Amino acid sequence: MGPLDSYLPYLLNRAGARIATAFGEEMRPLGASLQIWRVLAALQERDGQRMGDLSATTSIEVSTLTRLVDQMEKKDLVARRRDPDDARAVALFVTAAGRRLTRRIVPIAERYERIALKGFAPAEAEALRAALKRLYTNMEELQG
């Protein structure tokens, strides 16, 4: 293996940590966090997700997600409802306050993506997205 600064897991973690730290600091004054944003973004994409699906979508462990959703419910950002198709299952829905917060965070998230992709041609940005998705899928092998 070559030097640390060319080791892929190190580079991914370093880039992700830099983005997460700065983004988290910007979320604090809004009463939000990176994890809250992940949940809101996932629900904006598909409202009414079950906790298991939301855990997979957000990469937040179910036990951590349950505590996070408890906090978000107290802040009136989300509401739990019984799934109409399965009375045992609980689905999560964004409230009006959650939608307002999402609208405030979207431009910040878009700015972070713009900064992160500065100097990338559109085709390079798409190739990077595709490569990172494939890399993430490849890592599922470690869970087997």
Side-chain angles (χ1 to χ4, degrees):
M1 183 170 51
L4 186 61
D5 66 356
S6 64
Y7 181 54
L8 184 64
Y10 170 75
L11 293 171
L12 286 168
N13 184 63
R14 190 171 162 216
R18 175 170 274 184
I19 293 168
T21 299
F23 192 79
E25 286 171 11
E26 281 204 53
M27 292 299 96
R28 205 169 297 121
L30 301 177
S33 67
L34 177 58
Q35 288 187 320
I36 286 174
W37 165 239
R38 279 190 201 158
V39 170
L40 291 173
L43 293 174
Q44 179 184 10
E45 212 169 275
R46 189 167 59 85
D47 206 12
Q49 290 188 52
R50 293 180 183 185
M51 294 294 276
D53 295 335
L54 196 55
S55 172
T57 303
T58 61
S59 297
I60 301 172
E61 191 75 34
V62 174
S63 58
T64 303
L65 183 61
T66 301
R67 288 191 299 276
L68 180 65
V69 167
D70 288 343
Q71 294 170 15
M72 292 176 73
E73 243 184 341
K74 285 187 184 112
K75 293 180 178 196
D76 191 37
L77 299 174
V78 294
R80 286 180 172 104
R81 293 193 211 130
R82 289 276 163 214
D83 189 319
D85 300 327
D86 180 356
R88 296 165 304 177
V90 174
L92 199 63
F93 293 85
V94 182
T95 62
R99 281 192 294 280
R100 281 194 301 276
L101 180 57
T102 300
R103 282 195 300 273
R104 290 182 69 189
I105 296 174
V106 165
I108 298 168
E110 288 172 343
R111 188 176 97 244
Y112 271 74
E113 182 165 289
R114 263 195 322 277
I115 291 168
L117 293 174
K118 188 175 178 187
F120 282 75
E124 288 176 310
E126 278 312 306
L128 177 61
R129 283 187 187 92
L132 288 171
K133 288 175 186 176
R134 189 168 31 168
L135 190 148
Y136 183 83
T137 301
N138 288 348
M139 295 313 292
E140 287 174 6
E141 217 175 276
L142 292 176
Q143 293 175 332

